[in-house]
């Protein structure tokens, strides 16, 4: 089963995905941001293509992202869990994912919500190259413009679950694991 994690930069999706997969065989996560940063470090063709977008806080073009993720989701077994962190970011990415995911339309989209001032404080404490204030404000604006419509997309599809991310890591983690486990049970019973 594939589950997607939605939420503004700084909301803690990456931390939560890593924690959820630690010690759970069959669970894995893919952070498209981390994957791209690794490609940049390696100086691969994809990395060179992606770099200027990342540095500006803009989105890497959809066709590049869709091919990258499609290759990875193709191998996910029905009873395993892949948490996607940072993908989809746009409606075309979400539509393509529904079409290309082996189990059909995505059964679970977890939306991590937190007030804007909490996000900015967390991001400024993180010290990543694309985390200076100007780029950061831009990334939050990109999130509102292109990613927020995904919340409505998955709500219409009946897959959306909202998680209040302005709480302790442990409280959020507990809810995340419960939601994924429940969705996995439903997914396996249905198919
Ligand atoms: P993140 O670590 O998820 O905040 O991603 C860092 C940067 O990688 C973003 O600001 C984008 O430039 C790029 N990126 C990551 N995921 C995507 C995606 N699904 N679509 C387009 N660009 C992405």
């Amino acid at each position: 089963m594939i589950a997607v994690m939605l939420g503004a930069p700084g909301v803690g999706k990456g931390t939560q995905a890593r924690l959820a997969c630690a010690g759970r065989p069959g669970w894995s996560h893919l952070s498209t941001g981390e994957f791209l940063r690794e490609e940049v470090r390696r100086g691969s063709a994809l990395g060179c293509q992606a770099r200027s977008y990342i540095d500006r806080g803009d989105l890497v073009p959809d066709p590049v992202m869709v091919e990258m993720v499609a290759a990875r989701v193709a191998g996910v077994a029905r009873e395993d869990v892949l948490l996607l962190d940072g993908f989809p970011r746009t409606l075309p990415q979400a539509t393509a994912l529904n079409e290309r995911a082996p189990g059909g339309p995505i059964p679970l989209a977890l939306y991590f919500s937190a007030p804007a001032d909490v996000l900015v404080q967390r991001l400024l404490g993180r010290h990543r190259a694309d985390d200076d204030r100007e780029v950061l404000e831009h990334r939050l604006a990109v999130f509102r413009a292109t990613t927020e419509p995904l919340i409505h997309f998955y709500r219409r599809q009946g897959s959306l679950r909202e998680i209040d991310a302005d709480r302790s890591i442990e409280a959020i983690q507990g809810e995340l694991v419960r939601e994924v486990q429940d969705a996995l049970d439903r997914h396996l019973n249905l198919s």
Side-chain angles (χ1 to χ4, degrees):
M1 181 189 79
I2 297 162
V4 305
M5 303 169 75
L6 305 173
V11 81
K13 304 183 298 289
T15 304
Q16 291 294 337
R18 269 191 297 279
L19 269 177
C21 296
R24 286 197 175 80
W27 289 39
S28 61
H29 65 103
L30 170 64
S31 156
T32 48
E34 263 168 38
F35 187 96
L36 289 169
R37 281 189 292 279
E38 181 57 32
E39 294 293 308
V40 170
R41 264 194 298 276
R42 287 179 35 217
S44 69
L46 174 60
C48 295
Q49 207 182 350
R51 179 167 197 161
S52 58
Y53 296 98
I54 297 173
D55 286 349
R56 286 195 304 268
D58 283 331
L59 295 181
V60 173
D62 288 334
V64 177
M65 296 307 303
V66 167
E67 288 316 312
M68 193 184 117
V69 172
R72 176 70 202 279
V73 300
V76 178
R78 207 165 57 101
E79 63 278 14
D80 286 345
V81 170
L82 174 66
L83 299 177
L84 284 180
D85 161 24
F87 186 96
R89 288 275 234 281
T90 65
L91 284 173
Q93 290 181 12
T95 313
L97 181 64
N98 270 348
E99 284 163 4
R100 297 177 71 161
I106 298 303
L108 178 64
L110 294 162
Y111 169 45
F112 293 78
S113 61
D117 54 329
V118 172
L119 300 172
V120 173
Q121 284 318 312
R122 284 194 197 164
L123 283 164
L124 286 174
R126 195 164 76 171
H127 305 304
R128 219 172 69 190
D130 56 351
D131 275 349
D132 78 66
R133 188 175 266 276
E134 211 173 299
V135 175
L136 198 154
E137 302 274 354
H138 182 57
R139 288 171 58 220
L140 287 174
V142 168
F143 168 74
R144 280 190 289 272
T146 62
T147 314
E148 274 197 340
L150 295 180
I151 294 161
H152 306 292
F153 175 89
Y154 286 115
R155 187 176 284 135
R156 268 200 306 278
Q157 187 171 297
S159 314
L160 192 80
R161 308 291 295 177
E162 182 166 347
I163 293 185
D164 173 4
D166 190 15
R167 292 182 299 166
S168 72
I169 290 183
E170 295 75 24
I172 300 166
Q173 179 67 195
E175 193 175 340
L176 160 65
V177 170
R178 249 190 331 273
E179 291 288 1
V180 175
Q181 202 65 64
D182 288 353
L184 182 61
D185 291 344
R186 285 195 301 272
H187 186 66
L188 294 178
N189 285 331
L190 286 175
S191 46

